[in-house]
Amino acid sequence: QVQLVESGGGLVQAGGSLTLACAASGRTSIASAYAMRWFRQAPGKEREWVAQMLPSGSTYYPDSVKGRFTISRDNANNRLFLQMNSLQPEDTAVYYCAAQNGDTYWGQGTQVTVSS
């Protein structure tokens, strides 16, 4: 019932920035009822969590991206964002947004490539 559509991926040089967006539909104010997360997966590696926002607005990050990535939301327009700064080649991956509240809903993924 929840649909997520991602955009904003692309090619960026090391040290650069990108902002990813996730448009949510299926109900109003999805982020007020679901935990919202961003994940990434590089070839040959396990999927890893990189950001989380709870319905309260509280945010969480793993040490690998803390201080560089920022998750935010626009509840009025049902959009979720991931602002990524100081990107490095090891950040290269397909990035996915997800909404979870019992069930988990995934976006299609968007490729982020960081060149040396």
Side-chain angles (χ1 to χ4, degrees):
Q1 190 171 1
V2 174
Q3 297 87 43
L4 305 171
V5 179
E6 300 167 340
S7 61
L11 175 66
V12 64
Q13 291 186 341
S17 299
L18 281 175
T19 299
L20 307 181
C22 180
S25 62
R27 59 156 290 162
T28 58
S29 300
I30 288 173
S32 70
Y34 290 77
M36 304 300 297
R37 297 184 175 94
W38 287 95
F39 294 84
R40 68 186 182 189
Q41 187 167 24
K45 297 184 64 178
E46 295 182 353
R47 183 183 64 188
E48 64 173 331
W49 161 75
V50 297
Q52 175 178 282
M53 176 175 283
L54 299 182
S56 66
S58 298
T59 60
Y60 304 88
Y61 308 91
D63 289 342
S64 59
V65 307
K66 190 176 298 183
R68 299 189 299 122
F69 289 12
T70 303
I71 187 172
S72 61
R73 67 188 182 191
D74 178 356
N75 281 347
N77 293 292
N78 245 357
R79 297 190 70 127
L80 185 76
F81 302 94
L82 183 67
Q83 302 170 35
M84 304 183 294
N85 299 322
S86 301
L87 286 164
Q88 300 299 316
E90 51 264 40
D91 296 315
T92 295
V94 177
Y95 284 71
Y96 302 88
C97 64
Q100 185 174 38
N101 188 6
D103 296 322
T104 300
Y105 301 90
W106 295 92
Q108 81 287 353
T110 185
Q111 176 72 46
V112 172
T113 302
V114 185
S115 62
S116 301

